[in-house]
């Protein structure tokens, strides 16, 4: 422990005293600049997983569209299912992008300065906590991510499939991503069931524009993919909703941290994550999107950069 400006620093990782709404006033301009930048983590494993996610969704869309729906003689069956599946796929990939490219709630690096301490107006001898890894004052419920190399407010976990942390500012998009992936996986499995039944009944004649062996192989891979992703994302979706309703992150649950904050009621927790009263905006990954953020370029810094 060291003395500084009438208060005490402690280089610890957990149990911070600052509230979530405390802000870094002395660097408000830099935080405003950061808000206009697209967040991106330069992690090799995460980027590979994110690309794989897109390729798997594209593969599912290819099999559903070109192997099962277009060869069908039922126009309305193909039209309705094709539009529904592709809309869900677009929503899933959009949610994935918003999760990956949204600042999850990173605490400014190196804000443990005398100027910042003065702005906090702390009482003499009051103890505050500083992260020794990124030299930032740790707000309450913030945790350091070794991959993002930042302290993240209300960090739930780091997900390689979205190449980002799931935190205070992007949890809604992650929940939507898991929901839409679960929906398109279930839809693909249902379509595969109908297609197998149709092909067997028609003895694989005019069942698909592809040969029967190729059709079977493509559909088997789609069924395996759909089952695995449906199981994984449905469980993750349920876990996220449970955490939101209990106002408890996954890290806090795993570490059995006793809440030092006043827990929100279940419905208040949902509104705090999804924003405002229930509406279609809750399930819209485009809500709040500003195209001008993609047009502004800023300085590169830390694990994030502008595009």
């Amino acid at each position: 422990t060291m003395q500084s400006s009438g208060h005490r620093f402690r280089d610890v990782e957990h149990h911070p005293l600052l509230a979530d709404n405390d802000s870094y006033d002395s660097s408000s301009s830099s935080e405003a600049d950061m808000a206009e930048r697209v967040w991106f983590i330069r992690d090799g494993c995460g980027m590979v997983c994110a690309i794989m996610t897109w390729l798997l969704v594209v593969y599912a869309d290819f099999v559903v569209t070109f192997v099962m729906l277009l060869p069908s003689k039922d126009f309305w069956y193909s039209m309705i299912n094709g539009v529904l599946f592709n809309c869900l796929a677009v929503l899933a990939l959009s949610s994935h992008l918003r999760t990956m490219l949204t600042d999850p709630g990173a605490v400014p690096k190196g804000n443990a300065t005398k100027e910042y301490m003065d702005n906090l107006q702390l009482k003499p001898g009051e103890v505050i906590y500083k992260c020794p890894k990124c030299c930032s004052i740790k707000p309450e419920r913030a945790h350091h991510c070794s991959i993002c190399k930042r302290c993240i407010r209300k960090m739930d976990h780091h997900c390689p499939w979205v190449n980002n942390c799931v935190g205070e500012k992007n949890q809604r998009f992650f929940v939507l991503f898991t929901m839409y992936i679960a929906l398109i996986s279930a839809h693909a499995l249902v379509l595969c069931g109908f297609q197998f039944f149709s092909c067997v009944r028609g003895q694989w004649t005019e069942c698909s524009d592809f040969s029967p062996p190729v059709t079977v192989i493509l559909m088997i891979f789609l069924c395996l993919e759909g089952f695995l992703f449906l199981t994984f994302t449905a469980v993750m979706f349920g876990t996220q909703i449970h955490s939101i309703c209990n106002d408890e992150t996954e890290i806090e649950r795993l570490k059995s941290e006793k809440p030092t904050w006043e827990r929100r009621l279940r419905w208040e927790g949902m509104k705090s994550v999804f924003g405002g009263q229930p509406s279609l905006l809750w399930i819209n990954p485009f809500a709040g999107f500003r195209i001008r953020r993609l047009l502004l370029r800023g300085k590169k810094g830390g694990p994030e950069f502008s595009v």
Side-chain angles (χ1 to χ4, degrees), residues 246-263:
N246 288 340
D247 195 14
E248 182 181 48
T249 67
E250 188 65 15
I251 290 180
E252 292 164 350
R253 186 185 68 82
L254 292 175
K255 292 185 176 182
S256 300
E257 294 185 3
K258 295 182 179 179
T260 57
W261 62 94
E262 183 179 353
R263 289 193 175 185

Side-chain angles (χ1 to χ4, degrees), residues 59-74:
Y59 170 78
D61 190 62
F62 168 79
V63 176
V64 167
T65 302
F66 294 97
V67 177
M68 293 190 284
L69 296 182
L70 287 182
S72 176
K73 295 180 180 179
D74 190 334

Side-chain angles (χ1 to χ4, degrees), residues 181-183 185-186 189 225-236:
I181 290 293
L183 288 176
S185 298
L189 289 173
E225 176 191 341
F227 177 77
L228 290 174
F229 272 81
L230 174 60
T231 303
F232 174 75
T233 55
V235 170
M236 183 59 70

